[in-house]
Amino acid sequence: MLAAIDWHVVWVRVAHPDHVFFHAMYTTVYIAVIAQVMGVVLGLLAAMMRTSKIAPLRLLSGIYVFIFRGTPVLVQIFFIYYGANQLLGFTLIPNTLDLGFFSLDGAVVAGILALGINEGAYMREIIRAGIDSIDKGQMEAAKSLGMRYGLAMRRIVLPQAARVIVPPLGNEFNNMLKTTSLVFTIGVYEMFADAEIHYSQTFQPVEYFMAVAFWYLVLTGVWGFIQAGIERRLGASERGDDLSFRERLVQSWMPVGAFVKR
Amino acid sequence: MTDVVMRAEDVHKRFGRLEVLKGVSIDVPKGETVCIIGPSGSGKTTFIRCINHLEKIDGGRITVNGHLIGYRERNGKLVEDSERSVAKQRTQIGMVFQRFNLFPHKTALENVTEAPVRVLGVPEKQAAEDGVRMLSRVGLAEKCDAYPGKLSGGQQQRVAIARALAMKPALILFDEPTSALDPEVTGEVLSVMEELAHDGMTMIVVTHEMGFAREAADRVVMMDEGRIIEEGTPQHFFDAPEQERTKQFLSKIL
């Protein structure tokens, strides 16, 4: 006989989350943010290496994507947490990482590294597609004005590619917020770990997992608003639109661009 | 005629098996406007793209203001030059493209000031003043804050000319600057170019606009199949072209 669902528990978890839960949520968010930033940086590097004149760099970029897109992220998380130090012969993953203002548990470091490196492989493809979408004439014009490759990329190509890169990047971050739940497996106390531990103490799966699902929706929902605002800002100068303040306000708060009549 | 701005000597260029330039030699003295004409596939666009090293040459040599382009001489042999010095040489050579290639995420003025500020290190305020002057010179003073997407083709191409001018180049290359334009706006671009020519700018113009050649060119060069087959004053070309190939070509476009 299954126990009846205790809606009061759901209500408490949703409406009156405790201290411990907020800390777990905070952990989820900063793991996601740091890993995503790392993914973008690695993806950008790998995208540059892919078109490099130096053959070994191109090869390295290819191998990177092949391995990290071709194996489960859970395997990567375990491999880095348990295996990285042994493989490298030095302590990549410390027991705790003390940054002064901020100290990280070794498992968190491993989790961020694994998620970030994994993300980089996907970001490389997204950034590459963005760069490829920009007309070759832009780079030529920049070069004809005496700009070097790096400057032309930074000032001319990437700002334009950003319009193409940002929407899928936003989706990647949405994914990242949810994928962080995997690092509970190496003992990181994030949102899902919090739910899992309550469940294992009470055997009330519906209550705790429903409540944590709600909080994931809050995170991804808030991100959806932010993403829409960013995309709108990037689009405005390109279209040369002269929107009124009210129009901008309305548009930046629409969760999905598709709802907005242009 | 001692002041040669651009000198090409026996320039060869191939794309894979296809030899596009089969030994092109020409001197362009300071202040001269040279129009390069010829059928498509004759190598004229490739040739001017070699002058600022957007295309790498396979043989011969090109110098601008006496400096070898894209290569440096070491023990009598030519070795490829570093990206840094190629970039530096390009600051001397403006280019105006068939498809404008304005930076769409920047306003007209920002398009003009970007390279002076970022490449030459001109202070932003001064660059902006210069930029407004350049845009006025091409008749677009009131379009400083417009994004390229809001400008007509003719206006965009004039911004592109201002952008090239802002670098104060020794030479400007024009790659079919009016070919992508509606016929009714080619005139505004050509008259800006004519003014430049009369002001003594050194210009190499790939074009089919024989009217412009007649008005502004000091010399016309006919290319065919990767070679210069005839050159002379515009008068020469209109009155008495020598080569059979030139006569054929001109009869088609005039």
Side-chain angles (χ1 to χ4, degrees):
Chain A
M1 185 59 186
L2 288 169
I5 293 164
D6 185 347
W7 289 104
H8 180 68
V9 172
V10 180
W11 172 249
V12 169
R13 299 296 295 168
V14 166
H16 304 289
D18 59 16
H19 233 65
V20 179
F21 177 80
F22 272 126
H23 194 266
M25 184 191 242
Y26 171 61
T27 306
T28 290
V29 171
Y30 77 64
I31 289 178
V33 169
I34 301 174
Q36 188 66 50
V37 169
M38 202 174 136
V40 171
V41 172
L42 286 175
L44 193 57
L45 276 176
M48 298 292 138
M49 279 162 64
R50 185 185 155 274
T51 53
S52 166
K53 280 182 193 159
I54 306 158
L57 289 183
R58 289 201 301 271
L59 186 68
L60 195 65
S61 177
I63 291 173
Y64 169 52
V65 170
F66 180 67
I67 290 177
F68 283 90
R69 280 203 319 181
T71 56
V73 66
L74 189 56
V75 173
Q76 293 163 22
I77 290 168
F78 272 62
F79 185 88
I80 288 177
Y81 184 50
Y82 294 109
N85 290 350
Q86 191 190 350
L87 181 74
L88 296 171
F90 63 87
T91 310
L92 176 71
I93 310 298
N95 287 328
T96 54
L97 180 67
D98 192 0
L99 300 171
F101 57 98
F102 199 66
S103 103
L104 290 177
D105 185 64
V108 174
V109 175
I112 290 173
L113 276 180
L115 292 174
I117 295 171
N118 178 267
E119 181 59 23
Y122 289 90
M123 283 310 302
R124 185 196 86 153
E125 297 304 288
I126 290 170
I127 292 170
R128 180 190 64 82
I131 292 173
D132 287 354
S133 74
I134 304 306
D135 187 80
K136 273 212 203 83
Q138 292 290 309
M139 181 54 96
E140 288 186 350
K143 282 184 171 174
S144 79
L145 290 162
M147 291 192 186
R148 297 181 63 182
Y149 178 82
L151 183 65
M153 262 293 162
R154 214 171 67 238
R155 297 285 306 175
I156 306 302
V157 177
L158 286 177
Q160 294 181 61
R163 268 180 322 110
V164 183
I165 292 170
V166 162
L169 169 62
N171 295 340
E172 285 295 301
F173 185 63
N174 171 298
N175 247 323
M176 179 65 83
L177 282 166
K178 297 171 297 181
T179 311
T180 51
S181 59
L182 288 177
V183 299
F184 111 92
T185 57
I186 54 171
V188 176
Y189 199 93
E190 42 66 69
M191 266 167 47
F192 182 68
D194 184 73
E196 207 279 334
I197 284 164
H198 280 94
Y199 154 71
S200 66
Q201 288 164 352
T202 60
F203 297 103
Q204 291 181 305
V206 174
E207 290 83 342
Y208 286 101
F209 293 137
M210 185 186 284
V212 79
F214 166 80
W215 285 108
Y216 277 111
L217 275 174
V218 169
L219 291 186
T220 52
V222 167
W223 172 244
F225 278 105
I226 298 173
Q227 187 186 347
I230 296 172
E231 283 174 28
R232 194 129 305 109
R233 271 193 43 179
L234 280 169
S237 66
E238 170 70 14
R239 291 193 305 275
D241 284 358
D242 304 312
L243 294 179
S244 72
F245 178 71
R246 195 189 61 82
E247 282 170 315
R248 275 186 205 284
L249 204 64
V250 170
Q251 290 200 357
S252 67
W253 286 97
M254 295 294 282
V256 181
F259 293 155
V260 182
K261 222 173 97 193
R262 290 216 172 112
Chain B
M1 286 297 203
T2 48
D3 244 3
V4 174
V5 172
M6 197 286 297
R7 168 169 289 169
E9 295 167 78
D10 196 27
V11 170
H12 288 259
K13 171 71 192 173
R14 56 173 75 243
F15 291 117
R17 279 218 184 123
L18 183 70
E19 192 168 31
V20 191
L21 299 179
K22 300 169 180 166
V24 176
S25 302
I26 183 174
D27 279 3
V28 178
K30 189 168 167 39
E32 195 177 83
T33 296
V34 176
C35 281
I36 304 180
I37 60 171
S40 57
S42 59
K44 51 197 193 306
T45 287
T46 303
F47 176 61
I48 66 163
R49 286 168 59 86
C50 287
I51 296 173
N52 68 351
H53 205 56
L54 286 179
E55 304 290 350
K56 205 184 290 182
I57 62 175
D58 298 312
R61 48 196 289 159
I62 296 175
T63 58
V64 171
N65 274 347
H67 296 292
L68 206 52
I69 293 295
Y71 293 86
R72 63 173 75 232
E73 223 154 5
R74 194 176 289 159
N75 306 327
K77 274 171 50 178
L78 294 185
V79 290
E80 243 184 90
D81 214 345
S82 69
E83 193 216 356
R84 178 197 296 269
S85 61
V86 170
K88 194 156 180 228
Q89 288 166 338
R90 284 190 183 127
T91 61
Q92 289 287 301
I93 310 165
M95 189 166 212
V96 174
F97 297 86
Q98 185 176 355
R99 314 232 27 176
F100 330 137
N101 296 345
L102 289 182
F103 307 135
H105 58 307
K106 295 186 180 297
T107 63
L109 184 59
E110 286 166 352
N111 264 276
V112 175
T113 58
E114 176 71 14
V117 172
R118 301 281 158 182
V119 178
L120 301 180
V122 176
E124 278 188 44
K125 197 163 163 281
Q126 192 194 326
E129 284 166 12
D130 286 351
V132 172
R133 204 167 326 121
M134 294 305 163
L135 284 170
S136 323
R137 193 164 166 191
V138 299
L140 289 172
E142 77 287 4
K143 294 291 185 185
C144 284
D145 296 324
Y147 284 94
K150 293 270 168 172
L151 299 175
S152 73
Q155 290 171 332
Q156 288 191 52
Q157 193 61 298
R158 285 188 282 154
V159 173
I161 292 171
R163 179 173 71 174
L165 282 175
M167 295 295 283
K168 307 198 165 61
L171 164 72
I172 302 185
L173 310 169
F174 292 82
D175 181 13
E176 302 199 27
T178 55
S179 299
L181 295 175
D182 291 334
E184 68 264 31
V185 297
T186 56
E188 63 191 57
V189 172
L190 291 174
S191 65
V192 165
M193 289 168 59
E194 274 168 37
E195 249 168 67
L196 276 184
H198 291 310
D199 288 350
M201 176 57 76
T202 312
M203 297 162 50
I204 303 176
V205 186
V206 170
T207 188
H208 295 300
E209 299 285 344
M210 297 312 289
F212 171 77
R214 191 202 305 261
E215 283 302 313
D218 299 294
R219 189 153 48 120
V220 178
V221 168
M222 166 85 187
M223 280 184 73
D224 189 37
E225 293 182 349
R227 289 193 179 86
I228 292 175
I229 59 166
E230 186 164 1
E231 59 180 295
T233 61
Q235 256 53 50
H236 164 84
F237 270 82
F238 289 113
D239 301 343
E242 283 158 20
Q243 301 288 325
E244 201 49 45
R245 194 72 193 79
T246 312
K247 285 178 197 161
Q248 272 176 19
F249 176 71
L250 288 174
S251 72
K252 270 184 212 148
I253 66 164
L254 283 176

